[in-house]
Amino acid sequence: MSRVVLILFVAVLAILPAVQATPEFWITHLNYIGLATLVVLGLVLLTGVGGLTSFGQAAFVGLGAYTTAWLTTAFGWSPWLTLLVGLALTFCFAYVLGSLTLRLSGHYLPLGTLAWSLSLYYLFGNLQFLGQHDGIAGIAPLDLFGLSFGDGRTMYYLIWVIVLFSLWATRNLLDSRPGRAIRALKSGSGMAESFGINTARYKTIIFVYAALLACVSGWLYAHMQRAVSPSPFGLNYGIEYLFMAVVGGASSVWGAVIGSGIILTLKDQLQNVLPKLLDTTANFELIVFGVLMILVLQFAREGVWPILTGWFSALTGSDHVRQRQAPAPAPLLVQRGRPEAGSLVLEVDEIRKEFGGLVAVNDISFKLKAGEIMGLIGPNGAGKSTTFNLITGVLQATRGSVRFLGQRLENLPAREISRLGVGRTFQHVQLLPTMTVLENVALGAHLRSDVGVVSAVLHTDRRDEAELLHEAARQLERVGLGDYLYEQAGNLALGQQRILEIARALAADPVLLLLDEPAAGLRYKEKQDLARVLDQLRQEGMSILLVEHDMDFVMNLTDHLVVMDFGTKIAEGMPANIQTNPAVLEAYLGGIDDDLELDQPDAPPGAVAGVAATGSAS
Ligand code: ADP
Ligand code: MG
């Protein structure tokens, strides 16, 4: 949101209750919008950004509300203490529920939150000491240093200060090291794990974060309403919160404000208008909401917020692009030690991978030394990418071993392997298309910083963040993408996206770099530039394992080649010898098929006969 609009928004919010002419009804309505915004903000993070659906947010609101209601009325505890107790309880419940369901993919989380929501609702309604269906009344208003929040207008300020703080905090979180990891959860989990990101942990984090926001909302609600009963914490409301997130726009924190505002206002108006129109008091607004939901999903899948910002930029002519300058220079991140040139870095020993009856990798062995570029070549389907995935822990080997700097890798998960210093790119590019080029690369440097959620939320991470972004910019500069730092990654040409992946891998400060078809889709000049960068890396002591179909590229660059066909190693040696090896020629000539032209339109001059012809995105 543009700064001017933001200031205006806050100014209007601040002045409204001070103006005596503002009807009491408006204040109450805005209070409810504020309370809902807190809950929906959690859903924006959880569902919109993280891709995890929860129907149980109303139950967390209930947990916050009932905790303070019971402890303040039955034991006379201070509401500020009961807020802490409520948050602690919510933390525990959300953590346990999240840990149980988040590791399971698919529908377990939504189902888990449904069950949680229903059981808590019935618990509230049945427990004697919580007043059963009557609930608890006589809750005292909040007060702070003698200032009472007993009336709607003072409560308004408390609610909206907390809402604005939460919006600010959540924005900060999204724009940070943990935030980039969170933004990778929905569509890039596998990739994120390959950069050392513990995705299960970040899922739990956003689940707990959203639950805590809901709990705060419940605490405020109890003291505003002075009474609680089970019904506002039931499943209906859980669904309504989700609806608000979808309508507002589940990928922006401002979507939470807009969504809550629209739905609550609409609900209020419908409750006034519908009974007059239909001459009944039944809850027809639910039906209208259902229809509205279908319309939103049809015509504004991203919600209302992106539409509003679109109008705003059309009106003001601002194209919404903020920063154009490279990040300010910052101290360099610590680099890991490099192995001595010529020492053994990677030793693959009789590694094997079977997919059912198919032997994709058939007892392959090879060694790679520090400061060496090795090529892994072979026709499509030879098992090259599978070999990469075995080394990097994406796939589990059927048998065999992989040693990296003396350490066994074959039983480690991808993120541990990445932590040891193995960086990679993917044959099928795996970027976060709506994130900037710079942010995508900064994701690669995830393990080189330890900024956590708390310092991200409070914005005390700025020095570390500057270092990360500077490092990302430096790597992008190095691979020749320095002019695209603030471009959305999805807008780059495919060849550039591959180069971006190399920068991202370099940002992780690897000892060993695995590149799966890095030159595919590049123009001749770009290939030459890439070769220069890789050569430079080699001179700095990096070890590189390369799968590539462009034979000119491979022959000029590599020190050593391994040739695979049908999962089996058929030749190994210096590039010059491989070029004349009869078994290799046979494999490649045998591999020529009808889609010769389609596969490699820019077959380079000097390619081994038929070799380049097999090049395609396999
Ligand atoms: P390359 O990268 O050399 O073109 P791949 O390693 O991608 O080859 O594939 C090797 C063989 O393994 C192919 O026959 C492919 O169909 C098969 N394969 C790859 N991944 C899987 C998988 N996840 N499940 C089943 N078969 C697979
Ligand atoms: Mg492949």
Side-chain angles (χ1 to χ4, degrees):
M1 182 144 72
S2 129
R3 192 149 294 213
V4 181
V5 180
L6 178 63
I7 292 170
L8 266 175
F9 173 73
V10 175
V12 171
L13 266 186
I15 291 167
L16 264 183
V19 179
Q20 283 309 314
T22 311
E24 201 59 35
F25 159 75
W26 282 28
I27 302 296
T28 312
H29 188 59
L30 283 168
N31 282 347
Y32 280 117
I33 292 179
L35 293 181
T37 300
L38 283 176
V39 186
V40 179
L41 183 59
L43 282 175
V44 163
L45 189 67
L46 186 68
T47 308
V49 179
L52 304 167
T53 306
S54 164
F55 294 105
Q57 296 315 100
F60 289 118
V61 179
L63 201 57
Y66 267 96
T67 304
T68 191
W70 183 53
L71 292 177
T72 54
T73 54
F75 303 102
W77 286 24
S78 151
W80 301 97
L81 182 61
T82 59
L83 172 62
L84 295 183
V85 176
L87 288 172
L89 260 182
T90 306
F91 182 95
C92 296
F93 275 110
Y95 185 81
V96 170
L97 187 66
S99 307
L100 288 179
T101 52
L102 287 167
R103 272 158 221 281
L104 309 165
S105 55
H107 303 307
Y108 288 97
L109 180 70
L111 289 179
T113 57
L114 273 179
W116 150 257
S117 170
L118 287 173
S119 47
L120 210 67
Y121 174 75
Y122 286 111
L123 200 66
F124 292 149
N126 284 306
L127 285 179
Q128 195 83 48
F129 71 96
L130 294 183
Q132 295 176 309
H133 284 284
D134 297 330
I136 300 174
I139 303 169
L142 294 170
D143 70 86
L144 186 62
F145 305 123
L147 172 67
S148 167
F149 295 95
D151 73 297
R153 289 183 196 242
T154 39
M155 195 63 192
Y156 171 98
Y157 282 112
L158 181 63
I159 290 175
W160 279 96
V161 164
I162 293 179
V163 169
L164 289 176
F165 173 80
S166 307
L167 288 167
W168 175 76
T170 309
R171 271 277 295 260
N172 290 345
L173 176 60
L174 286 172
D175 184 24
S176 71
R177 168 186 181 264
R180 283 185 289 272
I182 290 167
R183 286 149 75 193
L185 292 177
K186 189 153 73 172
S187 67
S189 275
M191 174 274 291
E193 288 275 337
S194 289
F195 286 97
I197 293 168
N198 186 340
T199 53
R201 187 166 159 267
Y202 279 104
K203 285 179 183 174
T204 310
I205 286 176
I206 55 175
F207 189 65
V208 170
Y209 186 95
L212 292 177
L213 282 174
C215 167
V216 173
S217 174
W219 175 78
L220 286 165
Y221 172 86
H223 290 283
M224 183 176 93
Q225 207 69 5
R226 314 274 186 84
V228 295
S229 66
S231 56
F233 313 124
L235 190 54
N236 284 358
Y237 286 84
I239 295 173
E240 200 171 291
Y241 287 128
L242 205 54
F243 189 35
M244 291 177 192
V246 173
V247 168
S251 56
S252 159
V253 296
W254 293 104
V257 186
I258 297 288
S260 312
I262 292 179
I263 295 302
L264 287 181
T265 308
L266 201 65
K267 189 172 162 182
D268 187 68
Q269 293 303 312
L270 289 174
Q271 277 168 348
N272 281 337
V273 174
L274 284 180
K276 288 177 198 148
L277 280 181
L278 301 170
D279 200 23
T280 156
T281 52
N283 284 341
F284 276 103
E285 75 266 12
L286 282 180
I287 298 174
V288 178
F289 278 1
V291 174
L292 190 70
M293 184 71 156
I294 293 170
L295 290 178
V296 167
L297 290 178
Q298 273 293 324
F299 299 108
R301 193 155 289 202
E302 300 299 311
V304 173
W305 179 252
I307 299 178
L308 288 183
T309 51
W311 286 346
F312 180 75
S313 16
L315 267 177
T316 58
S318 69
D319 69 344
H320 231 65
V321 178
R322 290 148 299 167
Q323 226 167 335
R324 277 291 176 199
Q325 270 171 358
L332 293 184
L333 297 174
V334 183
Q335 268 206 332
R336 73 177 95 230
R338 297 252 173 267
E340 216 173 294
S343 63
L344 192 60
V345 168
L346 181 73
E347 187 175 6
V348 175
D349 192 22
E350 306 252 305
I351 194 116
R352 183 180 188 87
K353 181 66 187 177
E354 297 169 4
F355 292 114
L358 175 81
V359 183
V361 176
N362 185 6
D363 301 335
I364 295 283
S365 305
F366 56 80
K367 290 178 183 164
L368 179 57
K369 300 202 182 96
E372 197 177 63
I373 301 183
M374 194 181 112
L376 187 60
I377 63 171
N380 285 337
K384 308 178 296 292
S385 295
T386 306
T387 304
F388 266 36
N389 288 334
L390 295 176
I391 297 172
T392 52
V394 171
L395 291 173
Q396 186 94 39
T398 308
R399 62 164 190 256
S401 72
V402 180
R403 260 177 244 269
F404 171 68
L405 299 177
Q407 189 150 0
R408 298 285 286 262
L409 297 188
E410 68 272 9
N411 292 319
L412 294 181
R415 64 169 187 274
E416 291 304 322
I417 293 175
S418 137
R419 186 182 292 278
L420 295 173
V422 180
R424 70 167 299 175
T425 65
F426 297 87
Q427 179 179 354
H428 302 286
V429 176
Q430 294 195 26
L431 300 171
L432 298 167
T434 57
M435 251 160 69
T436 64
V437 168
L438 187 68
E439 288 174 312
N440 267 284
V441 174
L443 195 68
H446 187 83
L447 287 179
R448 299 178 72 187
S449 158
D450 58 2
V451 168
V453 171
V454 175
S455 54
V457 158
L458 298 177
H459 230 221
T460 54
D461 63 338
R462 290 299 103 180
R463 267 186 47 192
D464 300 84
E465 178 70 2
E467 288 177 15
L468 275 186
L469 292 182
H470 176 60
E471 172 69 10
R474 221 166 58 91
Q475 299 300 349
L476 280 162
E477 208 67 62
R478 163 177 232 173
V479 298
L481 287 178
D483 291 338
Y484 298 93
L485 300 184
Y486 297 102
E487 189 68 63
Q488 284 203 351
N491 292 345
L492 296 186
L494 188 63
Q496 291 174 317
Q497 295 188 357
R498 291 186 177 285
I499 302 291
L500 193 169
E501 284 214 339
I502 297 176
R504 184 176 63 192
L506 290 176
D509 184 28
V511 170
L512 169 65
L513 191 58
L514 280 78
L515 307 176
D516 202 344
E517 305 197 13
L522 293 192
R523 284 189 274 265
Y524 183 65
K525 164 88 173 51
E526 292 169 326
K527 285 183 187 178
Q528 285 183 314
D529 292 343
L530 175 61
R532 239 190 317 278
V533 171
L534 298 185
D535 185 46
Q536 172 74 35
L537 288 169
R538 162 168 54 194
Q539 285 172 30
E540 290 168 17
M542 179 91 73
S543 309
I544 301 174
L545 183 58
L546 180 83
V547 166
E548 186 46 61
H549 283 297
D550 181 330
M551 283 305 126
D552 246 10
F553 188 84
V554 171
M555 294 299 167
N556 289 330
L557 193 63
T558 54
D559 304 297
H560 192 95
L561 279 177
V562 167
V563 189
M564 288 177 76
D565 193 17
F566 292 114
T568 308
K569 182 164 88 175
I570 57 168
E572 179 169 6
M574 309 269 287
N577 301 338
I578 292 294
Q579 253 168 324
T580 52
N581 183 312
V584 176
L585 289 176
E586 166 61 27
Y588 273 106
L589 290 171
I592 290 190
D593 45 36
D594 353 317
D595 49 359
L596 204 138
E597 265 95 22
L598 284 177
D599 276 337
Q600 194 84 9
D602 60 344
V608 175
V611 170
T614 54
S616 78
S618 52

